[in-house]
Structure formats: C-alpha cells, structure tokens
Amino acid sequence: MARGTLRIYLGAAPGVGKTYAMLSEAHRRVERGTDCVVAFVEHHHRPRTEVMLHGLEQLPRREIEYRGGTFTEMDVDAVLRRAPKVALVDELAHTNMPGSRNTKRWQDVEELLAAGIDVISTVNIQHLESLGDVVESITGVRQRETVPDEVVRRADQIELVDMSPQALRRRMAHGNIYKPDRVDAALSNYFRPGNLTALRELALLWVADRVDAHLTEYRSEHHVSAIWGSRERIVVGLTGGPEGRTLIRRAARLAEKGAGGEVMAVYISRSDGLTAVSPKELALQRTLVEDLGGTFHQVVGDDIPAALLDFARGVNATQIVLGVSRRRSWQYVFGPGVGATVARESGPDLDVHLITHAEVGKGRGLPVARGARLGRSRVISGWLAGVLGPLLLTWLLKGVVPDIGLANDMLLFLTLTVAAALLGGLLPALASAVVGSTLLNWFFTPPVHTLTVADPQNIVAIVVFVGVAVAVASVVDLAARRTHQAARLRAESEILSFLAGNVLRGETGLEDLLERVRETFGMESVALLERAGEKDPWTCAGSVGPRPATTPDAADVDVPVGDHMALSLCGRVLPAADRRVLAAFAAQAAVVVDRRRLKGEADRAEELAEGNRIRTALLAAVSHDLRTPLAGIKAAVTSLRSDDVEWSEEDQAELLEAIEEGADRLDHLVGNLLDMSRLQTGTVTPIIRETDLDEVVPMALGAVPEDSVDLDVPESLPMVGVDRGLLERSVANIVENAVKYSPPGERVLVSASAMADRVEIRVVDRGPGVPDEVKDRIFEPFQRYGDAPRGDGVGLGLAVARGFAEAIGGTLHAEDTPGGGLTMVLAVRTAPGRRRERPDVSPAVTS
C-alpha cells in the first residue's frame, strides 16, 4: 500500500488563519469529488471557522475520562475504518490525553499516512522543537507542546499562512480570535508587535530554507549543474589577508541590493595543511561575515580556482567576489593568477567581481626595526650568493668553461655581486666584492696565483669592479631603508588617523585604547598610571592584559605624560623609533582620562542643577499645593469654633469630613515630597527579599475605593526579589494616578503575568491617554499632563513610583491601552532559583 501524502499549513502565530485555510482546501477538494472527512478540527468558538465546517463530514471523536473530567480526542480507529482519501487533522503538535492510543497527535498522523490516507494538518512555527529556546527568548513563554522538525520537514507540501502583525492585532481587537475579556491581556503580552514580527521572520526563514532544500534535492536528482539564479547568493573568496574584510563588506552591500541575498565566505586551504595565513586574521574575518548575516566555510583543495568554482556551483551561487591579485608584475610570468582563472572558467551564469583594495601588511603592528628589512631568507640568500657564488664561478671558469677573457670574467663576477646586493643588501654585496676581487686577482689577472697585478689597466678594472659593486650594494640598501621607512610611516599614519578619528568621534573608552596599544606593539600588558604629586604613590587609571605594571620603573617601556602620568608597557623593550607613535597613544590616553573626569564633573553639575530645579519646584509646591489643604482645614476648624453660628449635626459632619480629607491629602503630599527627597539624596536603601506579589499588590490598593479596581494577580506567579515596602509604595502611586484619570464608572485593571525572567504588573485605565512624545516626561518630578487641576497634586506620584521601581532593580514605562487609555507596566525580576514550572498561558496560545 502506498504511503499517504502530508500537507501542512504553517503559521507564525495563533489566529493567522491556518485552520480556515485547511477547511477552504477541504471544500475545494470535496467540490472536485474527493472523499474528504474531518478527523479532528478545533474551531475555538471562532464563528467564521465554525461556519467552514458546514458541509464537511465530521467523524465522531473518542471520549476519555481523566481525573473526573471528560475530554475528546481524535479517534484513530474510526478514521482507519472509514478509510477516506483525505483526512483533516488540526493542531499537529497537540499532546493527547493520558489513555490515548499515542502520546502525540503527530504519531496518530503517522499511522494514517502509513495506512495510505492523505492528511492535511496545521502547526505554528513556535511548536517546532528546534525553535523552542528561540521562541522562549522572544515571547517569554516556553512551549510545552512541540513536534520534531523532521516530521514537518518530511511533509510533501508546506504552505505558509502569513499575516502582518498589524492585521493580526486588528483581528484580535475585533474579537475574531479570542473573547473580548481576553483581548487586552493577549495584546499586551504574547501578541505584542515585536513578538509577532520576530515569529513571522522565523516562519519565513524556516520555509525559505525548506524551499532551498527542495531545490538542491531536485538539482541533485536531475544532475543539474547550471546555476539557477533564484536568489542572489554571493561567494567571497578569502586568502587570509587583511583585504578579506574589504571583500566581505563589499559582498554584503551587493547582497543588500537584491531581495533575500546571502553571503558565503570561503577559504581554500591546501590538502598538505601548510598555510601562511594568520589564524587571528582569519578568525576576525569569520566573525565579521557572521555579524553581517553571512556564513563562513573552509574547503580543502590544491587547485584553488577549481575548488572555488566547484564550491560556488555546489551552493548555486550567482556571484563571486575576489580581490585583485597582490602579486607584482613580474610574478605573472608564473601564471595568470586566481582571479583571472576564475573569471575565465566561470561561464556565462556566474558573475565574477574583482575588488580593488589597499596593500596592507600582515596585522596592525609596526614593521620590525633593524635587521629584518629584507627578510631573513633574502639575507641568507645574499650571503650564499656573495660568498659561495664567486667560488663556484671560479671553478666553472677554470675547469669547465674555456678562457673567455678577463673583461668577461669581471662582468660575471660583477653579476654575482649585483645579485648579492639585490638579495642581501650592503654587507653580502661588500663580501662578494672582496671575495670576487681576490679571486680575480689570484686566478685570472697576470701574473696568476699571486696577489700582484702586472698591467696597470687591470688594476683600474679591479678598482672599477669594487666601486661598482659597492655602489650597487649601497643603492639596494638605501632602497630597502626607504621602503622600510615608508612602511613605518604608513603604519604610523594609519595609527595616528585612528587616534584622530577617536578624538573627532568623541570616543572615551580608555580600556579600548589601551587594548589597541597592546595589540599594535605586541605587548603583554599596558597600564596608565597617575599620581597626585611627586611624593604620592602611583595609582592605576586603567589597564589591560595580565600582570600590569604598578610603577613606571617596573615596566619594560614607560612613556611619561606630563608630570604626574605615565603609560607603562610590559612584554619587551621597544626600539626608539616606536616611541614617537607610542607618545601619541599616551597623549590620547591622557585626553581620555581628562575627558572622563570632565564628564563626571559635568554630571555632578547637572545633578546640582537638577537639585536646584527640584528645590525651586518644591518651594512653588509648598507655596500653593500644600497651603491649599491647610487653608481648607483652617477654614473648617474656624467655622466649627465660631460661636456666632450654630451648626447642625449634618453641617458639623460635613466640616469634619472636609478636615479629614484635607489632612489625608496633606499627608499624601508630604509623603511624596519626603519620598522624592530620599530619592534625590540617594538615601533609599532597598532590602531585597523573596516576595509573593499576591501578598503585596492588594496592600497597595488601600488608598483607592474598593469598587474602582479589578485585581488579577494569579497565585501561580513566581516569587520576585524586591523590597516589599518600596514595591507597595510604587504600585500604590501608579494605581492612584490611574483611578484619578479614569472616567466615572470605569474600573482600573491591575494584572500580573510572568515573562521570561521577570514579572510584569500592568495597571490599565480607560482614561484620555497620553501622546507618545509625553510618555517619558510624565515621570519627571512636578510634571502633570494636560489640564489637571492644580489642587490634584504636585506631580510627584509617578516620579516616586519610577524611582522606587529602579531602586529595587525594576523598570516602569507607559504604553497605550488598546481601545483608548494608558497602561503602566512595572517589571521586576524573579527571585533566583524560583522560576515557575508552567507559564500562565491561555490554552489557545499553546494549542
């Protein structure tokens, strides 16, 4: 019996329309005469989905008794007995009730497929097993019901049901997904725009990878070697040189120009394992390409152009990015180079970009001073050519080659001297000149086998020979020195440009600057030391690396900066030529320290200015807002004490009530002023303890009428680490503010829910709301929005609430309430080790 086919409708989130799309497909097949039945579909009381079930045959479900309740599951045996052509099975990741035939619904589906029944099913992206951790980090909800990725990947057809976050939230607000009493909570928690956007991206990427896998499989089965440019896939060929960073960034810009572009960096290593690249540079390039959203690959191959083209065709690439060859002109006699070969062999379906780049040395360090200007191998070759070359040439001229004359002999010896100068510089050339002139005098200048010269012309020839040899050697050595100086000056200019850029950008990271010094000069540790006076001890302003120097005398290199600061380096002794650049680093480090101190002084000055502003506002509050309740209390007391008027019991009760209200209001104002004073002076010292929210939040509602607040704080919430008193004062101020601005008859909702490693307390009102540009300003002291009456307070409630929230390690911000109003979100951290076992998530979200 042939296995049935599986079609899956994949959604990014609940409510995007997977079940609706599945039922629509069932109606189309029934209209075509296909035997299609509903094995299990859950409509969640959504009217439009429920209507779509009309006209479709629905098989009876199996009832299961569990813990005193009756539950229904798909009856696999009934489906097998009915043996339809197509069966509709909703919610592939569902976990069956204990006592069912299989543990998971996808296992039921496997039985139906094995029986030759085609199955159409649905699943959300958050239920894929491999994405559980990612979804939890995005939404704060751990999905308990999952399905193995391989089950979904084996599906014959996967159709993505997509919807923009804005459209999905509108569907939610219109009541098309959840009941009205659950809409606000859902929109404020799981169905936030950020959550939905991230889940949508996950779904799109997962389906794109699946499509790519299908395309690769098809190309392999049909032996398609030509490149199909279905999407821009750019391969960057790396050599391990510093130009690789330029190539990667250029490839990333090319990928951005096309939709869905992908960058794949590849390094071809030889099969013998020998390589001259810097592992550190290759690691930096790998990090860069991954930061830009690409991937890094390493391929083994002795024929680099062929290996690069094979890799590009294997991944169905459309473009190759290579750097222009760094070889010199004369080196092209050994071959056209990798870039030219790849461009010639790429064919018409693969574009090759040759990118120009700056000629840079390996790493960022300055060239090594002294004897390595020409390289050790060149110096050794120069000595061999200067000392052994003349001896070998003498043997050839005396024993193998016939006599060619003294002039030709001198030219040959001069050639060896020039070669020694080109290879090894001045000293090997001088040695070659001395050895060559001695051998010429002894073996080739009459009288032979003596050091005397009979013919004066021969003396002139030998002198000219020595002079030319010394001149050529001097020119070569001078060129090497100039090249070395140019390289050093170029490196110094790059470093000074980096320092100047730091100044212009205002970067003040002392540790980053010291790390740059350590890497540039190859030191073990770098420290910036300072002291107040000549006799004061040295203190460390900043350091990087192990075991930094504690005094300038203990360092291998120290550069003084002014009278009371020094840059100290440990690791090796630097040549004097490097101290010029090192002095620039030291001066920049001193500027960074001074800038940091000035910033600290500016911050303190700003704090003082803020304190002055607070005191000015406080005087204004005392002069008006505090005097208003005092005036009311005094007027009521004066009236009660007056002998001229005889007050009735009702009047006396009214005056006493006015006195009590004025005293309560005055107490509230004074309390807020004292709290703000404690926050401004930094005397708030929280005592963090494990606390249950359902013990604290109800206590904060004592100052508002009982019928003005709806409380929804589940007992299953995790413990939080807070100061109970500060949290209670913060919640009380938020709730009082919400009640004050709520319309008459509208109750304020106070709810709490767990999100990842924090718990959020939401205070939702249906008042006039606050524009986005004012949301941050309402938390400033003595700020009130709109036309709030002057007698309603001094504008400290929310400022105190945020101050106390931050003091206990939490946050407080404002959001718009869906449908109108303002929602205050107070987030606090859960207590360490007291995570919840099961998140408080509605069944519709986890289904």
Side-chain angles (χ1 to χ4, degrees), residues 4 106 137 141 197 301 409 540 629 663 692 713 718:
W106 65 264
S137 65
V141 177
T197 302
D409 294 338
C540 182
D692 282 322
V713 180

Side-chain angles (χ1 to χ4, degrees), residues 11 23 32 159 195 277 482 484 537 663 683 697 726 789 834 847:
L23 294 174
R32 294 196 300 265
E159 183 172 334
N195 291 357
V277 304
R482 292 292 183 264
H484 171 67
T683 57
V697 175
L726 297 182
R834 300 299 298 269
S847 62

Side-chain angles (χ1 to χ4, degrees), residues 190 206 481:
Y190 193 88
W206 195 92
R481 290 177 184 272

Side-chain angles (χ1 to χ4, degrees), residues 482-546:
R482 292 292 183 264
T483 302
H484 171 67
Q485 292 174 359
R488 286 190 58 83
L489 291 174
R490 180 176 181 176
E492 289 179 5
S493 65
E494 290 178 356
I495 294 173
L496 294 175
S497 175
F498 164 78
L499 293 177
N502 279 357
V503 174
L504 294 175
R505 291 188 298 268
E507 297 178 359
T508 57
L510 179 60
E511 285 70 21
D512 294 337
L513 181 64
L514 297 181
E515 180 64 25
R516 177 80 181 202
V517 175
R518 191 177 70 85
E519 290 182 0
T520 299
F521 296 96
M523 308 301 286
E524 293 181 1
S525 63
V526 180
L528 183 65
L529 306 177
E530 61 177 347
R531 59 181 179 181
E534 293 291 340
K535 297 182 180 180
D536 295 314
W538 290 96
T539 59
C540 182
S543 65
V544 294

Side-chain angles (χ1 to χ4, degrees), residues 639-721:
S639 298
L640 287 174
R641 295 187 61 185
S642 174
D643 297 332
D644 299 335
V645 181
E646 184 176 352
W647 301 101
S648 64
E649 293 184 359
E650 291 80 3
D651 293 336
Q652 291 181 5
E654 185 177 350
L655 290 173
L656 290 174
E657 183 180 357
I659 293 173
E660 184 178 9
E661 289 179 356
D664 290 340
R665 185 172 157 198
L666 185 61
D667 179 69
H668 180 73
L669 292 174
V670 172
N672 275 339
L673 289 172
L674 292 176
D675 289 339
M676 180 53 61
S677 176
R678 292 169 60 200
L679 290 171
Q680 291 293 326
T681 56
T683 57
V684 177
T685 305
I687 302 176
I688 306 299
R689 296 177 181 173
E690 292 185 358
T691 305
D692 282 322
L693 281 182
D694 56 357
E695 297 178 358
V696 178
V697 175
M699 300 293 293
L701 309 181
V704 296
E706 294 183 0
D707 59 348
S708 63
V709 177
D710 287 331
L711 185 61
D712 181 17
V713 180
E715 296 181 357
S716 59
L717 289 176
M719 304 277 282
V720 295

Side-chain angles (χ1 to χ4, degrees), residues 40 135 156 194-195 233 303 306 349 367 390 428 444 594 661 681 707 729 738 765:
F40 188 95
V135 173
D156 300 275
N195 291 357
R233 187 174 280 110
D303 189 345
D349 53 357
F444 301 99
D594 291 340
E661 289 179 356
T681 56
D707 59 348
R729 292 286 296 126
D765 67 61

Side-chain angles (χ1 to χ4, degrees), residues 129-244:
E129 199 167 73
S130 65
L131 300 178
D133 293 340
V134 179
V135 173
E136 183 180 13
S137 65
I138 294 171
T139 64
V141 177
R142 181 66 180 183
Q143 298 296 332
R144 300 295 179 180
E145 294 185 332
T146 60
V147 58
D149 288 44
E150 186 59 29
V151 173
V152 182
R153 289 185 182 277
R154 285 201 306 264
D156 300 275
Q157 297 182 56
I158 299 177
E159 183 172 334
L160 178 65
V161 182
D162 189 25
M163 181 178 290
S164 68
Q166 294 77 12
L168 182 57
R169 284 172 60 86
R170 282 196 299 269
R171 288 193 63 194
M172 176 76 69
H174 293 159
N176 295 332
I177 301 176
Y178 292 161
K179 294 181 179 179
D181 59 343
R182 296 169 53 194
V183 170
D184 286 346
L187 290 176
S188 301
N189 291 279
Y190 193 88
F191 288 85
R192 296 177 179 178
N195 291 357
L196 297 178
T197 302
L199 291 174
R200 187 187 189 197
E201 183 180 16
L202 280 179
L204 291 171
L205 291 175
W206 195 92
V207 173
D209 289 341
R210 177 62 178 161
V211 173
D212 202 32
H214 273 303
L215 179 61
T216 303
E217 183 180 351
Y218 179 87
R219 285 165 51 84
S220 176
E221 291 177 355
H222 292 78
H223 306 288
V224 178
S225 59
I227 292 175
W228 291 355
S230 56
R231 62 185 294 191
E232 289 295 336
R233 187 174 280 110
I234 303 173
V235 171
V236 184
L238 301 179
T239 64
E243 76 278 1

Side-chain angles (χ1 to χ4, degrees), residues 241-291:
E243 76 278 1
R245 301 179 218 173
T246 302
L247 303 184
I248 292 170
R249 293 188 179 97
R250 181 59 185 274
R253 291 196 295 271
L254 290 174
E256 290 175 356
K257 295 179 180 179
E262 182 181 358
V263 176
M264 308 175 73
V266 58
Y267 169 69
I268 311 295
S269 60
R270 297 189 180 276
S271 58
D272 56 11
L274 299 178
T275 179
V277 304
S278 168
K280 181 179 179 181
E281 180 64 31
L282 208 59
L284 290 174
Q285 294 177 15
R286 178 172 192 155
T287 303
L288 175 61
V289 71
E290 290 175 352
D291 289 343

